[in-house]
């Protein structure tokens, strides 16, 4: 199971990478704006900065809505660094672009996926990753994790090689459930990744061990 961090914050990316468990990064225009990264040149430079921290796939999103602009943006993004994966929105134009880019051996991440039908189209087009948004489905009283399970079953039925990248992950329980289902990748904020390490019995057990060690060494 691959762990990606879902942020454009370089400090958080460095912190997660230093743990030794990070396999890649996903960003989106909202996360870029949150870090104050605006303007095309600054955004492109930021992607390179991220690629220079992490040895793994880094998703970079196109903003065009039609096939032609998606493909030309994707070609610029792919030239930035060998680890760039071009994030293409789930639309019919996006599907055409994914098919085209796959044939050109440019890696893609089909984003804004909210249904099994959309995931089938992404796999048929040859997307490297498909990104179903778990948390945003939960937000509207839909079952985000059930969608991950449904896509897992469909992809396994046909041997589709597209990797399921569970996105919009908000909690450590989301991560654990995705692991149970067999999601290939999860992308989560740093807080959800580090929360996996937390347990009150670990904290109290460690405090006790330290106390007993110190008693014995007096
Ligand atoms: O990058 C896409 C996704 O992970 C966004 O998450 O929390 O804004 O729904 P969220």
């Amino acid at each position: 199971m691959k762990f990606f961090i879902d942020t454009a914050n370089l400090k958080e990316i460095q912190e997660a990478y230093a743990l030794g468990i990070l396999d890649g990064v996903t960003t989106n225009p909202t996360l870029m704006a949150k870090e104050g990264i605006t303007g095309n040149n600054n955004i492109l430079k930021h992607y390179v900065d991220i690629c220079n921290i992490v040895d793994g796939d880094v998703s970079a999103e196109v903003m065009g809505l039609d096939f032609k602009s998606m493909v030309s943006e994707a070609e610029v993004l792919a030239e930035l660094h060998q680890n760039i994966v071009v994030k293409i929105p789930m639309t019919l134009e996006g599907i055409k672009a994914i098919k085209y880019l796959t044939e050109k051996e440019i890696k893609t991440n089909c984003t804004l996926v909210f249904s099994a039908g959309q995931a089938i189209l992404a796999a048929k087009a040859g997307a490297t990753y498909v990104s179903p948004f778990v948390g945003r489905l939960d937000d509207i009283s839909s079952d985000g994790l059930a969608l991950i399970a449904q896509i897992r079953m469909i992809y396994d039925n046909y041997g589709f090689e597209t990797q399921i990248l569970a996105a919009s992950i908000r909690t450590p329980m989301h991560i654990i459930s995705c692991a149970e289902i067999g999601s290939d990748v999860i992308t989560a904020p740093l807080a959800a990744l580090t929360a996996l390490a937390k347990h009150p019995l670990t904290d109290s057990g460690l405090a006790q061990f330290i106390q007993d060690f110190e008693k014995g060494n007096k």
Side-chain angles (χ1 to χ4, degrees):
M1 186 186 200
K2 288 193 246 178
F3 273 16
F4 290 178
I5 188 167
D6 197 26
T7 185
N9 182 295
L10 298 181
K11 266 182 76 179
E12 289 187 2
I13 294 169
Q14 272 156 348
E15 200 179 322
Y17 195 63
L19 292 173
I21 49 94
L22 194 68
D23 303 297
V25 180
T26 53
T27 60
N28 63 41
T30 306
L31 294 171
M32 282 284 185
K34 205 171 144 195
E35 299 307 317
I37 314 295
T38 53
N40 203 39
N41 287 345
N42 291 333
I43 290 172
L44 295 183
K45 184 189 168 297
H46 205 70
Y47 286 137
V48 175
D49 290 344
I50 294 172
C51 288
N52 287 335
I53 298 172
V54 178
D55 183 20
D57 285 349
V58 173
S59 287
E61 191 150 347
V62 298
M63 296 313 299
L65 295 177
D66 60 281
F67 170 81
K68 227 174 133 198
S69 42
M70 282 180 186
V71 163
S72 61
E73 275 182 67
E75 283 167 345
V76 171
L77 290 169
E79 279 296 307
L80 290 175
H81 193 278
Q82 61 181 10
N83 290 347
I84 289 284
V85 176
V86 183
K87 227 174 171 185
I88 306 272
M90 164 43 71
T91 59
L92 291 176
E93 289 295 289
I95 289 300
K96 273 197 268 177
I98 289 168
K99 178 75 183 171
Y100 176 89
L101 294 166
T102 303
E103 278 164 8
K104 297 260 166 206
E105 295 185 358
I106 291 176
K107 289 194 274 183
T108 57
N109 173 358
C110 183
T111 190
L112 289 165
V113 166
F114 294 93
S115 77
Q118 292 177 327
I120 292 170
L121 283 178
K124 289 282 292 174
T128 315
Y129 297 103
V130 65
S131 286
F133 279 29
V134 172
R136 290 193 194 183
L137 280 168
D138 290 355
D139 289 343
I140 59 157
S141 308
S142 219
D143 188 344
L145 290 168
L147 176 62
I148 301 296
Q150 195 182 14
I151 299 170
R152 177 76 283 152
M153 182 179 70
I154 292 167
Y155 281 12
D156 289 350
N157 282 347
Y158 295 99
F160 283 131
E161 284 175 13
T162 298
Q163 295 175 59
I164 303 172
L165 195 174
S168 187
I169 291 291
R170 310 263 177 80
T171 65
M173 272 315 292
H174 271 158
I175 300 175
I176 293 163
S177 298
C178 283
E180 285 172 344
I181 293 164
S183 185
D184 300 290
V185 192
I186 57 91
T187 188
L190 182 63
L193 294 173
T194 54
L196 290 172
K198 298 278 174 214
H199 198 287
L201 291 178
T202 304
D203 297 341
S204 59
L206 187 58
Q208 185 72 55
F209 287 159
I210 289 169
Q211 202 185 58
D212 292 341
F213 172 81
E214 281 169 357
K215 247 192 264 164
N217 281 290
K218 266 188 189 153

